[in-house]
Amino acid sequence: MVEPDGSSRDLIEAGAVMGANGIALSADGATLVTAEAFANRITAFDLSPDRVVTGRRVFAEVTELPDGMCLDAEGAAWVAQPTGAGAIRILDGGDVVAKVTVPAEEAGNSVACVLGGPDRRSLYLCCGFEVFDAGKSRCEGQGSIWRAAVPVTAGEARP
């Protein structure tokens, strides 16, 4: 964690998560959620006001590799899935309640997502063809951003 004064510290012990790709804070700042890519799960932690991480629990198990993610105003996770050509909206407990897809032949793999836009109801998906080879991806410039309208807003921004 990087604090406002520029200092930094580890929140989670090294090796405690299996490939934390996406990471997000709940709107109230009390829950830290991460996509554990190499464990095919979303994991949640309690986060105290003084930024101590405790209470590790499984938020959801997923069948495809989870990557970049964000949380919406209702506390559901939007999770990009590189092998799934899109993103899923998954509730704490594991119920997948929505899916956004992109045309794999045009977009490639979905690696990150975020909610935004003027009404905060747009899901932006970062996609690319060489996502598992960063050097080649940069050289060939094969990335793209896709937008999908979704029925729920992003959580409120916190200072």
Side-chain angles (χ1 to χ4, degrees), residues 20-23 35 37 42 65-70 77-82 86-88 110-114 124-126:
N21 278 349
I23 191 165
I42 311 302
L65 177 102
D67 208 342
M69 59 165 287
C70 63
W78 286 93
V79 183
Q81 294 186 300
I88 58 171
S110 309
V111 295
C113 61
V114 67
Y124 293 93
L125 288 160
C126 178

Side-chain angles (χ1 to χ4, degrees), residues 10-124:
D10 293 336
L11 288 179
I12 301 169
E13 184 178 318
V17 292
M18 301 289 296
N21 278 349
I23 191 165
L25 286 174
S26 61
D28 64 4
T31 306
L32 177 88
V33 182
T34 187
E36 288 193 75
F38 305 123
N40 280 6
R41 72 176 160 243
I42 311 302
T43 301
F45 298 88
D46 297 324
L47 187 61
S48 71
D50 59 344
R51 304 295 194 244
V52 174
V53 176
T54 60
R56 179 192 182 118
R57 66 187 179 283
V58 174
F59 183 96
E61 300 282 348
V62 295
T63 58
E64 295 183 44
L65 177 102
D67 208 342
M69 59 165 287
C70 63
L71 295 175
D72 63 29
E74 296 175 357
W78 286 93
V79 183
Q81 294 186 300
T83 58
I88 58 171
R89 181 175 187 249
I90 192 164
L91 304 178
D92 192 348
D95 289 336
V96 175
V97 293
K99 183 170 184 160
V100 171
T101 58
V102 294
E105 64 281 351
E106 293 176 45
N109 303 97
S110 309
V111 295
C113 61
V114 67
L115 287 161
D119 62 357
R120 301 173 60 86
R121 291 180 187 268
S122 292
L123 182 71
Y124 293 93

